[in-house]
Structures are given as structure tokens and as C-alpha cells.
Amino acid sequence: SGEIISNIRIPIDENETYGTLHKKLSVACIGFTVETISHIYRHNDWRRNLILQPDCGILSKYMKAPKLKSEYLIIDENFSDYINDDGLKNIYALFRALSPYIGCKANLSVYQKYGSFHKTYDIKIYNSELLDKNEVNYEELCKFKKSPNSNIITDGKTFMYFVPKYTNKMISIKEIQISGKKKMNIKDFLAGLQYARMDDMYLIIY
């Protein structure tokens, strides 16, 4: 609240994460802070140039940055096979907002291909990438999908994609963590997850 002494704008890239934006701000604020204090020191009338707060209303979502609560860190009920492209972009934005330090909470469940539920892991998803299905050889990737019920495509070795049924996009998961274990890149994670390589098992993230 109150008037603004000075400000600067920082561009936010399409694939920006909390970590990359934090680095940008850290670098930018060094010169900005020195310049602002120097201006105050050199000009006794600096208060004449104060900037008014944007008149966007007290109920505007841009007025406050709320403290993070545990429910903000979990994929919500919209994380399903029925989300559209915009819904998938929102999930990708959540992954980016919590990367690389906090991680987005989710469940990774293992099912028997011709049977029932087998096991669930509590996981956190960190680094990821949003891809258009047209950018990759999607038909070739579908050969690795072990069940129509699965929303995961993986070769069990080098990649893991979250692929909703009704979107033109998918998310490549690049860093993941199982509860109680350290954060790993996807290759190391898959190397320790035998179910990802078993033909009679398939995976679901929700």
C-alpha cells in the first residue's frame, strides 16, 4: 500500500519458472536499488515524483500475493483426461510456479494392464515442458502407451509424457521426486521404477 518510490518492469517468458524469474529479479534489483537510493540522496524533492498505486480496486486479484497454502501445491480436480488445452496450460503454469524448489504434489498410480490397482506413489513434479503433439512424432510415441486408460506415455528409460485424451498438447516431465527420496531427472527416476518397463503394468498421474 502507499505510493511507489520507483519501479521497473521484468519480462516474463512463456516458459518462465519461479527459479528463472527469481534469478532475473535478483540481478535486476541490484542496480535498481542502488539507483533508487542514489536518487533519493541526490534529490530532496524526490517525494514529488512518487507514483500512485494502480487504481484496480481492493477486490482485484492483483492487489495481494497470498501466502502459499498446502492446497495451492496440489493438482486440483481439473487434472483429468477431460481437460482442454487451456486446462493443461494452467497445470503447466502450476508446475512452473513451483519449480525448482517446492514442487507440485500429485499421485503416480500403478495399475495391472488386465487387472486392477496395484500401487500409488506420492510424488512432486518439478521441471517440465509443454509440447504440441504436432511438434513430436506423436503416432510413434503412442506405441509406448500400454493402456487406453493410462494418461502417461513412457519408454521406461528416457522420457515420460502426461498426455490427456482431448488436448492437442502434452507435458514432458523432466524432474520428479517420490516421497522420501531425492529429486531426480526423469532418466534416473525411470531407471529406478521397474513398473515403467513392465508390459503388464501402466501408469496414471492424477
Side-chain angles (χ1 to χ4, degrees), residues 104-109 119-125 176-181 189 206:
C104 180
K105 296 180 180 179
N107 295 308
L108 176 63
S109 293
K119 188 173 185 177
T120 291
Y121 297 96
D122 293 327
I123 63 169
K124 287 184 178 180
I125 298 171
I176 198 169
Q177 180 182 23
I178 287 182
S179 180
K181 304 291 185 180
F189 172 77
Y206 63 93

Side-chain angles (χ1 to χ4, degrees), residues 3-203:
E3 293 147 324
I4 300 167
I5 297 174
S6 184
N7 62 10
I8 55 174
R9 291 179 178 269
I10 300 294
I12 298 178
D13 296 334
E14 184 178 359
N15 295 311
E16 199 87 69
T17 67
Y18 165 79
T20 58
L21 184 57
H22 184 272
K23 287 181 180 179
K24 280 186 180 180
L25 292 170
S26 297
V27 172
C29 76
I30 297 172
F32 173 67
T33 303
V34 172
E35 181 181 337
T36 301
I37 295 175
S38 176
H39 178 78
I40 293 173
Y41 179 77
R42 288 183 284 107
H43 300 276
N44 292 330
D45 61 345
W46 61 271
R47 293 182 183 276
R48 296 178 59 183
N49 299 313
L50 292 178
I51 304 168
L52 295 177
Q53 287 279 354
D55 185 18
C56 52
I58 196 169
L59 298 179
S60 170
K61 63 180 180 180
Y62 300 109
M63 289 297 292
K64 293 183 179 180
K67 291 182 178 180
L68 286 179
K69 298 180 181 179
S70 59
E71 57 262 35
Y72 298 163
L73 314 180
I74 304 172
I75 297 171
D76 63 18
E77 65 276 5
N78 294 320
F79 190 73
S80 71
D81 286 335
Y82 301 99
I83 60 175
N84 55 24
D85 284 355
D86 288 338
L88 191 63
K89 287 179 181 178
N90 289 338
I91 291 170
Y92 179 54
L94 178 62
F95 289 171
R96 291 185 291 118
L98 301 175
S99 175
Y101 305 120
I102 301 173
C104 180
K105 296 180 180 179
N107 295 308
L108 176 63
S109 293
V110 182
Y111 287 82
Q112 295 177 346
K113 192 171 182 179
Y114 302 107
S116 57
F117 167 78
H118 181 69
K119 188 173 185 177
T120 291
Y121 297 96
D122 293 327
I123 63 169
K124 287 184 178 180
I125 298 171
Y126 292 88
N127 191 21
S128 62
E129 182 181 7
L130 184 66
L131 300 172
D132 194 297
K133 289 180 179 178
N134 295 325
E135 295 175 356
V136 298
N137 192 342
Y138 182 67
E139 291 185 4
E140 189 69 23
L141 284 177
C142 285
K143 295 178 181 178
F144 293 99
K145 190 169 184 179
K146 299 175 183 178
S147 169
N149 298 321
S150 176
N151 58 18
I152 293 295
I153 294 178
T154 179
D155 62 351
K157 298 177 181 179
T158 60
F159 60 80
M160 177 185 283
Y161 298 107
F162 168 66
V163 188
K165 294 178 181 178
Y166 306 109
T167 67
N168 296 313
K169 299 181 182 296
M170 58 188 189
I171 295 177
S172 173
I173 299 172
K174 297 183 177 296
E175 282 186 316
I176 198 169
Q177 180 182 23
I178 287 182
S179 180
K181 304 291 185 180
K182 66 179 182 179
K183 179 171 62 174
M184 291 177 277
N185 64 54
I186 199 62
K187 290 182 180 180
D188 292 341
F189 172 77
L190 290 173
L193 187 68
Q194 60 178 341
Y195 301 115
R197 295 182 296 279
M198 296 172 65
D199 291 336
D200 60 340
M201 295 287 186
Y202 67 90
L203 307 175

